[in-house]
Amino acid sequence: MTDTGSNAVLAAREHHIARGVASAHPIIIDRAAGSYVWDAEGNKYLDFVGGIGVLNVGHNHPAVVDAIKKQIDSFTHICFQVGAYQPYVELARRLNTLVGGGEPYKSVFLTTGAEAVENAIKIARSHTGRSGVIAFRGGFHGRTLLGISLTGFSQPYKQNFGPFAPDIHHAIYPNEYHGVSTEQALASLQAIFDTQILPERVAAIILEPVLGDGGFVAAPPVFMQALRALTTRHGIVLICDEIQTGFGRTGKMFGFQHSDIQPDLITVAKSLAGGIPLSGVVGKAAIMDAPSPGGLGGTYGGNPLGCAAGLAVLSIFENEDLLARSQAIGRQLLSGFETFKARYDGIGDVRTLGAMAAVEFVSDRSSRTPDSDTAQKVIEQARAQGLLLIKCGIHRNIVRFLCPLNTSEIDVQEALGMFERALAASL
Ligand SMILES: Cc1ncc(COP(=O)(O)O)c(C=O)c1O
């Protein structure tokens, strides 16, 4: 019989799995529920990674499990290009209202986040008849060739995978802690227009309202508003990549809602379907309808299990008031982080937007030099305490917190206690 103990599976993993697929933690997960996971030896962990922002409603939420089970009993796959089904259409209807408010919006469903990004760019190019795309340094948009072309960091995502898709240009993302103002970020866009591509050749500007993998850095509302004005003036499609910021992570349903702007398109994935692979593009109807029939889709896009799970996720948001919980978790984490920052010089910055929370480690507070070794130590010590976390930032010196939004106050307190012990052991 195959040995299913952690050490045996870890050894087999080493042997059979390509090393390009890394795991942040050397553990083998056996089961999960709510905000917890258990490894093969029965050790229990508070999961503040949540499948990298996929489990905003927690592991195995009974309403999600129920919806999936019911859907399995009806059918698991049709392919929307063959025949339509109600959960796909209903999920689109609900997202169109959530994103578009009163305006006519339409949706298309795909499978992964990167695929949603790819389709958003296709739709923008089809609508404008232009090819250029502007993304941002420090942005992350997935691991497909177009995804890494848009992504703004070299290691590990771009190195040795080129050449990249052409006509993609990278502007500078505002970052207050590192001294990049909204004006400087906007000037970098102007520099692209001056030196690389005229605005009337640009199909789309794509950005995350809060950098995810790039370090949990929120774009100031004035920057988002300036981008909205600029894109409107030049007929450029404004795409908000809400794959990590979506579904309540930032305390609002979507990250763009902090800036009081209306994007043309948004990409959604991750927490959309509570763990079932499902992604989508939601956007203004006139833009979404640009590609001709057959130009969008994919065999598995909008899989019925994912759509049924997605509908359950949206109901959970209403029933459990998860946006309020997200804000409360953010406040609770920030107050703990601030105490830790006062105590440890190795912490350069702490920040939250809703429950999108991060602690940035530096080797020197005045120069703000990134300290990835300490971030790694803290992650390992936190795991030893029973708390799972992962890093982010182009220098991998930032620890991010992505707990389920229905994590209880007691569990958040417990996580803060574990984090503090991890800091004490590492700094
Ligand atoms: C903002 C953002 N865009 C795109 C992606 C890619 O999603 P996927 O890994 O599902 O392809 C991610 C994944 O982390 C993301 O955070």
Side-chain angles (χ1 to χ4, degrees):
M1 209 175 91
T2 314
D3 187 349
T4 55
S6 288
N7 287 340
V9 179
L10 284 170
R13 180 207 192 289
E14 190 75 14
H15 199 71
H16 294 292
I17 307 297
R19 77 188 179 112
V21 198
S23 300
H25 295 286
I27 57 175
I28 300 300
I29 304 296
D30 183 49
R31 67 192 172 91
S35 305
Y36 285 94
V37 296
W38 287 261
D39 70 12
E41 279 66 44
N43 298 308
K44 184 179 176 183
Y45 300 91
L46 257 179
D47 180 9
F48 272 39
V49 184
I52 317 192
V54 170
L55 294 152
N56 289 1
V57 301
H59 289 278
N60 285 6
H61 192 292
V64 173
V65 172
D66 254 24
I68 296 168
K69 282 184 176 162
K70 279 203 187 95
Q71 187 57 47
I72 285 178
D73 286 339
S74 308
F75 55 89
T76 57
H77 180 71
I78 297 291
C79 185
F80 203 72
Q81 282 97 269
V82 175
Y85 36 90
Q86 197 266 351
Y88 188 118
V89 179
E90 177 58 11
L91 185 60
R93 188 188 70 74
R94 290 182 67 175
L95 285 174
N96 295 340
T97 308
L98 274 176
V99 179
E103 282 186 62
Y105 271 57
K106 285 191 168 185
S107 293
V108 59
F109 293 116
L110 298 312
T111 309
T112 66
E115 215 188 337
V117 167
E118 298 252 349
N119 278 272
I121 300 297
K122 278 169 62 180
I123 293 165
R125 284 182 167 163
S126 172
H127 171 71
T128 57
R130 309 171 182 177
S131 59
V133 179
I134 298 177
F136 286 83
R137 296 188 198 166
F140 180 78
H141 299 288
R143 286 185 173 82
T144 57
L145 188 52
L146 183 55
I148 59 173
S149 303
L150 294 166
T151 288
F153 32 138
S154 39
Q155 263 302 20
Y157 301 124
K158 296 175 88 123
Q159 212 54 50
N160 303 330
F161 293 134
F164 303 112
D167 217 2
I168 290 169
H169 312 268
H170 287 89
I172 299 175
Y173 197 92
N175 186 332
E176 197 194 329
Y177 178 62
H178 286 286
V180 183
S181 65
T182 286
E183 292 70 32
Q184 286 167 314
L186 290 171
S188 79
L189 263 176
Q190 187 57 47
I192 289 174
F193 295 146
D194 290 342
T195 61
Q196 296 179 43
I197 183 170
L198 290 174
E200 49 272 24
R201 292 302 312 145
V202 176
I205 294 183
I206 180 166
L207 84 164
E208 298 156 89
V210 183
L211 292 182
D213 210 27
F216 282 27
V217 179
V222 284
F223 178 73
M224 297 296 283
Q225 287 154 9
L227 268 191
R228 179 63 285 184
L230 179 149
T231 46
T232 304
R233 194 160 65 244
H234 295 293
I236 297 169
V237 175
L238 179 61
I239 305 171
C240 288
D241 181 341
E242 294 274 3
I243 287 167
Q244 195 158 158
T245 46
F247 302 98
R249 174 55 50 193
T250 68
K252 294 193 184 271
M253 201 57 170
F254 299 106
F256 74 80
Q257 291 166 332
H258 290 276
S259 305
D260 216 13
I261 61 153
Q262 200 52 39
D264 296 310
L265 305 178
I266 74 162
T267 52
V268 288
K270 289 195 185 278
S271 274
L272 166 61
I276 301 290
L278 182 73
S279 69
V281 184
V282 186
K284 291 185 174 159
I287 300 175
M288 291 295 291
D289 274 340
S292 48
L296 302 179
T299 304
Y300 294 111
N303 171 270
L305 299 182
C307 292
L311 286 168
V313 165
L314 294 183
S315 300
I316 294 165
F317 268 85
E318 283 168 16
N319 299 340
E320 297 184 15
D321 203 7
L322 288 189
L323 298 183
R325 272 305 296 148
S326 174
Q327 291 156 23
I329 288 171
R331 284 191 297 273
Q332 196 181 351
L333 286 176
L334 188 62
S335 124
F337 290 172
E338 273 166 353
T339 316
F340 306 152
K341 188 180 164 192
R343 212 168 283 159
Y344 297 104
D345 282 352
I347 296 178
D349 191 34
V350 297
R351 45 188 183 259
T352 57
L353 186 64
M356 193 159 184
V359 176
E360 178 157 352
F361 291 92
V362 291
S363 54
D364 169 27
R365 269 193 181 166
S366 52
S367 62
R368 302 175 181 198
T369 310
D371 185 355
S372 61
D373 288 348
T374 296
Q376 180 60 30
K377 256 191 236 155
V378 170
I379 297 242
E380 284 166 18
Q381 291 295 334
R383 181 179 69 245
Q385 296 290 326
L387 172 66
L388 296 184
L389 295 165
I390 55 167
K391 292 179 291 183
C392 61
I394 52 171
H395 302 293
R396 286 296 185 252
N397 62 316
I398 300 161
V399 173
R400 56 177 145 173
F401 289 64
L402 286 165
C403 66
L405 303 179
N406 44 15
T407 303
S408 69
E409 203 180 323
I410 292 171
D411 282 348
V412 172
Q413 213 46 50
E414 171 130 5
L416 282 169
M418 291 173 178
F419 189 63
E420 183 170 21
R421 291 194 286 282
L423 290 172
S426 313
L427 283 164

